[in-house]
Every structure is written in C-alpha cells, then in structure tokens.
Amino acid sequence: MNWVSRLGGAVGVLVAAHLLIKVVVYAQVAHAPLIGDEAAYVDGARALSNLLRDLGSFTTPDVVELERNVVASGWFMPGMSLVLTPLFVLVPDAPVWAIRGFLGVVGTVLFLAVLRRVDRVWGRRATLVLMVFPGLVPTWSVFTFGAWGDQTAGVLLLLFLTLVHPVLLGAVAGRAPSIRQGLAIGAVAIACVYARSSVAVLVGLLGVLLAVAVVVLLRDAARRRAVVAAGVASAVFGGLLLPWSLSASAVLGDRVITTTSVSTVMANTFGDRDRVCFGPCDPGSTLWFSPLRYSREVARATGLSEVEVQQQMSAYARAEVTPRSYARDVTENAGRYALSPARFATYLRAPGTSDVVHAGIVVGTGVLFFPFLLAALVSLLVPRRRTTSAHLLAVCAKLSALALLSQPFVHIAGPRYWTTAAPVFALLALLLLRPSPMSDTPVGGGRLPGVLRGAEIAVAVFGTLVVGTLLVLAR
C-alpha cells in the first residue's frame, strides 16, 4: 500500500471517528433546552416558515410576526433562522430533539462537503489536519447541534478561503478570476456574514486583499476581466445583504447594515454597567435585555430610534474608560475566549445524561484544543520561507486569524467564539509542517516572495506589539 492509499484510509478512519463522536454527543444534547440566542433563531425560523406557507396559499403574510421574530431588535442576522426554516415548513411544532438533530445533520454534511473542497484545493494533508482539529474535538461537535451561527460561520469561512486562495494564486500566474469564481466568492462571503455578522471584518479584509492583488498583479485584458469578476462578487454580496438591511432599517427606524448590537455590547464589555441605562438597569432582567427594553421605552418617549438611544447609552456608560481599564477588560476577555473551551458542553447538556461521557467531552476537548491553539499562535508569530502557494495561504490564514482574534477587543468574549476560528487555527498549524504542505507549487520569481514574507513578518510584529502593549497597560 503506497503513501497516498494510507492517507486515503486515514481520512476514512477520521470521518468514521467524527461521525461516532457526533452520535455520542447527540445523546447528550438532544433534549437540552434552547439556550439564550438559540430561542431567537428558532423563533425567526418559525416566522419564516409561516411566511412561506402564507405565500404558498396566497394569504397575506403576517408582517408583525416577521418584524417581531425575524428583525426583532436587529441583534441577530437571520442566517441560522434560514437554515432551520425547512424543518419548520415540514414540522411546524418540531420538538427540541428534532431541531438539534436537524442542525446536526446539516452541520455535518456542510463540514464534510467543505472538506472535499479542501482536499481538491490544498491536498490530503490539509484534510487530515482539519479532520483532527476541529473534526475530533468533542465540544466542536456539541456546537453542531446548537442554533448559534458561530460554528457554521467557521466552516463557511474555510470554504471562503478555498475560493480566495486559488484566485490569488491565479493572479500570480497572470490569470484573471472568472465570473463564476466571482459569483461563488460573493455568495459564500454573504453566507458567512448571515451566519455570524462579526466575520464581516474578515470578509472585508480578504476582499481588499483580493482587489489589491488583481490590480497589482494583472495587466490589460486580464485586469479588466478581474474587475468584472470583482464587480459580480460585490453585486452578489450587496444584493443578498440588501433585503435584510432594508427590512431591519425600516422596522427599527435607523440605518442598519448588519446588526445593531455593537453599542450595547461595547457598553457592557468596557463601560460601567451601573451607567448603561443612564444609571443602573432593571435588575429583573439580563444585562442584554434590560438595556434593550430601556432603550425602547426612551425611544417611545423621545421620538428617537431605539438604535440611536442605545448609541447614547453606550457612550454614557463608556465615558470613563481609560487605556488601562480597556486593556484589563481585553485581557480578561481573552482568557474567557481561550481558557475554557468546553464550557458550553456543560450548558448544552440534557438533564440525566452520562457524567462519564460529559467528562470525556471536556477532557477530549482540552487535549486537542490547547496544542492546536499553541501551534496556531506559534505559526502566527513565526514567519518562514515557503513556496508561493503556501505563502499566499499563510497570509490569508494569518489575516483571518487577526480578524477573528479581534473579538476580545470589541465584545464580551466567551467559550463559544473559538468555534468560528477553529478551522483557521488548523490551517495555521498545517503551515508549521515540513516540508511545506504545498511543496509541489513552484516558488514565484521576482519580488513577490519577499513581499509575502514581509507581510508575514508584519503580522508577527503587529501581533507582538498588540500583546506587549496590552500586558504593559493592564499591569
């Protein structure tokens, strides 16, 4: 049996192990009640399924229900509601075990389909690494059965990178992207944002990288074709974002592009929580929904939009933020982000399930998560000589990691958000392997290798300076 055959057998074994973990995990979470934001996504899915029934029966849609359950406060993009809508079309009163089972099947099929694409674009070693991490991480499988969009966004981002990287490599070779590639990049980019709006920073960053690359690297007719493809990608992205943006803006009476939660999030993360509601908020509710209700009351009394009121509340709560207090909050956020990766396995657990299995989930998560996180950080901060293809992937992965790791700087971080970054961590770990995972790709000539290496060095310097500055300020 040759090396390729052995790798193929290893993929089969890892897929089987992945599916076995999913089955074991499902037994733990199937009857777990919906938690927090999950209820909002499920309510949105039910409203969208009712919309489809109304349209199918030529009945006037219930606009109030859509405003209340799909747009609501504008805090959540409706991506996961759209994913769940087919279930509620078929089973309007679907129980929680069916909701979680449906999400598990969709999430597993999506992950395995994206891995097939990874195998074609980056080769078998990349597939193996991703099958191990995050594929064998038990808590990552737990999230497959949750209605949050974090894990789905991470898998879609992996797909997005498999589309961006070949376009960059083609531009190096003088090939313009096709209209089909533009369509695919635009569609997957907006799917990422619908699943988790915070990844818009990453999508925008890589979009700028693509635009600069095709303008600088291509000439004449190839550049013109690339501009057309970029226009197609932008049109698809903007055209699919527009229905949500217009609807949310109309309902909330203010301009909404993706979500409106930033103001309240910043206030609760970095501000004085005793000043969020221009003083203490109602203690009878959560730190999220109490400010929301207060902003609505103030909006009704003043004629302002609730979005504008939330912005004023946030500014008032953050009036006394200092560099030191901000640095301390960020470092605490980073700890919550990275130090308890299995915490949601405790939250998302049905009563009466096995303590032994739960302990296995927690231990198994830590055994894989921390080594890969360490490998990703080393890869992020240590530039290496690589082939052109591997350099391009490294730049994409490192920019993606920086964008995703910005979460603790702008939001209360928690042990849910690493699931979005997990595939990027795996790619960074892959890039540590020797020989290069893309050693068959010729090294580009001219100044390009030096530019790419310089970009990696810049990322390393930037990351080091940010961490160093935080540690100094937080003392």
Side-chain angles (χ1 to χ4, degrees):
M1 182 181 295
N2 61 29
W3 174 243
V4 175
S5 298
R6 288 198 297 272
L7 286 180
V11 169
V13 170
L14 290 172
V15 169
H18 175 75
L19 295 176
L20 178 60
I21 290 171
K22 288 283 178 66
V23 171
V24 173
V25 164
Y26 179 65
Q28 293 285 106
V29 306
H31 297 282
L34 299 174
I35 302 172
D37 301 350
E38 287 190 298
Y41 293 119
V42 169
D43 289 343
R46 287 197 173 101
L48 290 171
S49 70
N50 290 337
L51 170 65
L52 293 179
R53 284 193 204 89
D54 291 339
L55 294 175
S57 61
F58 302 100
T59 303
T60 303
D62 187 344
V63 176
V64 174
E65 182 188 30
L66 294 171
E67 292 178 351
R68 183 175 62 250
N69 291 329
V70 179
V71 175
S73 59
W75 281 12
F76 309 112
M77 295 286 286
M80 294 308 293
S81 295
L82 290 167
V83 170
L84 280 165
T85 297
L87 172 65
F88 289 109
V89 169
L90 297 174
V91 189
D93 297 320
V96 69
W97 63 264
I99 294 171
R100 298 208 181 282
F102 180 82
L103 287 167
V105 170
V106 172
T108 301
V109 170
L110 175 64
F111 180 55
L112 295 179
V114 172
L115 285 185
R116 287 192 64 186
R117 167 77 183 174
V118 167
D119 200 64
R120 291 197 303 270
V121 174
W122 295 327
R124 188 55 48 91
R125 280 207 293 174
T127 307
L128 287 171
V129 170
L130 286 157
M131 277 306 312
V132 173
F133 185 87
L136 298 187
V137 180
T139 299
W140 199 78
S141 287
V142 167
F143 278 98
T144 308
F145 302 102
W148 302 282
D150 307 275
Q151 188 198 69
T152 302
V155 176
L156 289 171
L157 284 173
L158 180 61
L159 176 59
F160 184 61
L161 288 170
T162 68
L163 296 170
V164 169
H165 179 251
V167 170
L168 290 171
L169 198 57
V172 171
R175 297 190 306 272
S178 66
I179 290 178
R180 182 177 178 180
Q181 286 176 304
L183 283 168
I185 287 174
V188 174
I190 191 60
C192 294
V193 174
Y194 265 91
R196 181 69 181 161
S197 63
S198 60
V199 304
V201 175
L202 187 161
V203 169
L205 194 61
L206 291 183
V208 171
L209 175 65
L210 270 178
V212 171
V214 297
V215 169
V216 171
L217 296 172
L218 298 177
R219 296 289 182 271
D220 303 326
R223 180 184 289 174
R224 290 192 291 271
R225 290 195 299 273
V227 170
V228 171
V232 169
S234 300
V236 170
F237 184 92
L240 292 176
L241 176 63
L242 201 59
W244 162 256
S245 184
L246 291 177
S247 299
S249 299
V251 171
L252 297 171
D254 210 317
R255 185 178 64 180
V256 178
I257 298 175
T258 54
T259 57
T260 63
S261 59
V262 173
S263 297
T264 303
V265 164
M266 293 290 286
N268 277 327
T269 306
F270 304 111
D272 183 346
R273 292 184 184 175
D274 288 332
R275 292 165 56 92
V276 172
C277 296
F278 300 119
C281 293
D282 178 9
S285 185
T286 69
L287 59 86
W288 302 113
F289 292 106
S290 185
L292 177 61
R293 285 206 299 264
Y294 181 79
S295 70
R296 288 174 175 171
E297 293 170 2
V298 174
R300 282 193 295 268
T302 61
L304 300 173
S305 72
E306 64 183 76
V307 175
E308 186 175 355
V309 173
Q310 289 165 16
Q311 292 169 349
Q312 294 176 358
M313 293 164 59
S314 181
Y316 186 80
R318 292 183 290 115
E320 297 179 3
V321 172
T322 65
R324 174 166 292 182
S325 71
Y326 177 75
R328 287 177 174 172
D329 289 335
V330 170
T331 54
E332 290 177 7
N333 272 340
R336 285 191 290 265
Y337 184 99
L339 298 182
S340 301
R343 187 184 301 171
F344 264 79
T346 301
Y347 301 155
L348 200 63
R349 179 187 177 190
T353 51
S354 170
D355 291 336
V356 173
V357 172
H358 177 70
I361 290 173
V362 173
V363 172
T365 297
V367 165
L368 286 173
F369 176 81
F370 291 111
F372 270 88
L373 176 62
L374 178 61
L377 293 175
V378 170
S379 182
L380 187 65
L381 298 176
V382 179
R384 282 180 48 193
R385 296 184 65 85
R386 315 176 196 270
T387 63
T388 299
S389 180
H391 259 313
L392 289 169
L393 179 57
V395 170
C396 289
K398 291 183 178 188
L399 289 177
S400 299
L402 287 181
L404 293 172
L405 291 174
S406 67
Q407 179 95 18
F409 291 81
V410 295
H411 196 294
I412 290 180
R416 199 180 87 203
Y417 302 124
W418 67 265
T419 58
T420 305
V424 174
F425 292 165
L427 291 180
L428 290 172
L430 170 71
L431 290 163
L432 288 178
L433 296 179
R434 290 182 180 275
S436 166
M438 295 165 193
S439 56
D440 58 334
T441 303
V443 177
R447 297 163 55 188
L448 183 61
V451 171
L452 294 174
R453 185 170 172 79
E456 288 195 57
I457 293 172
V459 169
V461 171
F462 176 77
T464 303
L465 287 175
V466 168
V467 173
T469 302
L470 282 175
L471 292 177
V472 170
L473 289 176
R475 291 178 59 183

